[in-house]
Amino acid sequence: MQTTHRPTIVITGGSSGIGYATALAFAREGANVVLAARDAEALERAAQACRQAGAAALAVPTDVTEPDQVQALADRAVSEFGRIDVWMNNVGTGAVGRFDQVPVQAHRRVIEANLLGHVYGSHAVLPYFRRQRHGVLINMISVGGWAAGPYAASYAASKFGLRGFSESLRAELADLPEVAVCEVYPTFVDTPGLRHGANYSGKRLRPPSPMLDPREVAAAVVELGKRPRPSLMLGSVAWPARIAHGLAPDLSASITRRIMDAGFRAAEPSADTEGNLFQPSTGHDIDGGFRHDRRPRAGAAVKVGALAAAALMLARMMTRSR
C-alpha cells in the first residue's frame, strides 16, 4: 500500500468529457487520481495525461452498472493510496427519442448507468468515508434534474432520481459533518457525450448554446472538493430553468418541447443508434467540438427568451391573484 498525504480522487466516466477534464484539473493540483470507465485503452491514455501533469494516476476499467466492479474500484483505490478523499460519480448517458419509440432495454440501461451507477459508487465509498470520518461525494447530475426533458424521459427520470437520492444521503450523513454530499447541475456542456448517447429521433443532435467548457465544470468540481457545498448550479440558463420549473413545471416543459420540435424540424436526418449504452464509447476527447460549429442553431436567446417570457407571465399572474 502506498501511503501519501496527497488527496486521492476517484472519478467514474474519467476517459472523456467532464471526467477527463476534472481528472487533469485535480492532477495539476497534485492529487492522486483514480480513473474508471469501460474502455481500458482510452482510460490509460487519460491516466498517462494525468501523470504528465504531475499526478500519480491509476486506471481501473470499470462498468458502473456492475456493483461488484464498482466495489473493486473503491477497494483498489484504497489499496493503492491508503484512502479516498473525493469520489466523483460522473457517468452519464441518454437515449433521445419519443418515449414509446425508444426500446425499453435502452430506457433500462440509461437508468442503470445514470442512477444505479451513482448508487453503487456511493455504496462502495461511504463505508470508507465513515471510517475516515471525512470525504466528499460529488454526484454529477445536470440541470435536467430540475427541468423536465421531453424526448429524454428515462434521462429525466434518472436525473430527478439522483437529486432525491443525494438529498436523502446528505440528511442521513448529518451526524458526520466532515462527510459531504454535493450535487452539480450544469447546463449543456461541450463534450462528446451527446454523440456518445443513444439516438432514436431520426435526426442529427446538436446542443443549444450557450455551452459550458468542460474545463469550467472541472474547475468548479475541484473547488467543490476543497470547499464542499450541497448544490452547485453551472451555466447562465441553469437558474432560469430551475425557477421556471418550480413555478410552472408543465408550462416550462411545454416551452422546452416546442423548442426541441423546432430543432428536430431543422435538423439533418440521422440513422438511429444505441450509442454507448451497451458498449464503450468511441472518441474520448474532452471537447465535443460543438462550440466551434458555426452552423445556425436555436441558441440560448431562444431558450432564455422563452424562460423569461414564462417567468414574466407567471409574475403577472401572481400579481393579479394578489
Side-chain angles (χ1 to χ4, degrees), residues 12-304:
T12 66
S15 62
S16 68
I18 294 171
Y20 190 174
T22 304
L24 283 173
F26 273 115
R28 294 183 183 113
E29 295 274 324
N32 303 315
V33 181
V34 181
L35 300 179
R38 289 176 294 176
D39 189 319
E41 184 178 342
L43 201 59
E44 182 55 37
R45 284 198 300 269
Q48 183 58 31
C50 290
R51 295 182 195 114
Q52 291 172 353
L58 180 66
V60 184
T62 306
D63 183 340
V64 299
T65 68
E66 298 293 338
D68 291 345
Q69 292 188 31
V70 181
Q71 184 62 59
L73 168 65
D75 295 343
R76 180 78 186 281
V78 173
S79 174
E80 186 74 17
F81 296 116
R83 61 186 288 125
I84 299 171
D85 296 281
V86 176
W87 181 288
M88 180 183 180
N89 285 317
N90 177 65
V91 168
T93 190
V96 177
R98 203 173 74 190
F99 173 74
D100 53 310
Q101 291 183 341
V102 173
V104 72
Q105 295 88 347
H107 288 306
R108 176 177 178 174
R109 190 64 171 176
V110 170
I111 299 295
E112 287 176 339
N114 292 5
L115 179 56
L116 292 180
H118 283 55
V119 170
Y120 299 152
S122 303
H123 196 271
V125 76
L126 283 179
Y128 286 116
F129 283 177
R130 285 188 182 277
R131 286 198 286 273
Q132 297 169 181
R133 304 191 67 79
H134 170 81
V136 180
L137 175 65
I138 299 175
N139 286 330
M140 183 61 61
I141 302 182
S142 158
V143 73
W146 287 100
Y151 307 113
S154 52
Y155 179 87
S158 69
K159 298 300 184 177
F160 272 64
L162 276 178
R163 180 158 59 89
F165 172 68
S166 301
E167 292 175 1
S168 297
L169 279 188
R170 192 161 47 248
E172 188 173 319
L173 294 165
D175 59 328
L176 293 171
E178 297 302 315
V179 175
V181 178
C182 310
E183 307 150 30
V184 183
Y185 298 97
T187 53
F188 283 105
V189 185
D190 185 14
T191 74
L194 193 63
R195 294 192 184 97
H196 287 173
N199 180 10
Y200 298 94
S201 70
K203 298 289 186 175
R204 188 178 302 277
L205 302 177
R206 297 163 62 210
S209 297
M211 283 172 275
L212 290 166
D213 186 323
R215 297 160 190 82
E216 182 180 349
V217 181
V221 171
V222 170
E223 184 64 22
L224 205 57
K226 298 175 183 176
R227 284 172 277 277
R229 52 190 285 192
S231 178
L232 179 63
M233 307 289 287
L234 295 172
S236 60
V237 183
W239 273 107
R242 178 173 173 177
I243 292 169
H245 177 269
L247 292 173
D250 289 337
L251 175 60
S252 62
S254 176
I255 291 171
T256 302
R257 188 237 165 116
R258 292 190 194 112
I259 294 171
M260 293 183 71
D261 283 345
F264 284 141
R265 286 193 296 271
E268 300 171 0
S270 178
D272 288 353
T273 173
E274 63 184 24
N276 65 356
L277 294 185
F278 303 100
Q279 59 187 359
S281 307
T282 58
H284 294 83
D285 298 320
I286 290 176
D287 297 287
F290 295 105
R291 284 171 296 157
H292 307 298
D293 184 350
R294 301 301 182 186
R295 289 176 294 174
R297 60 163 64 91
V302 175
K303 192 168 185 179
V304 174

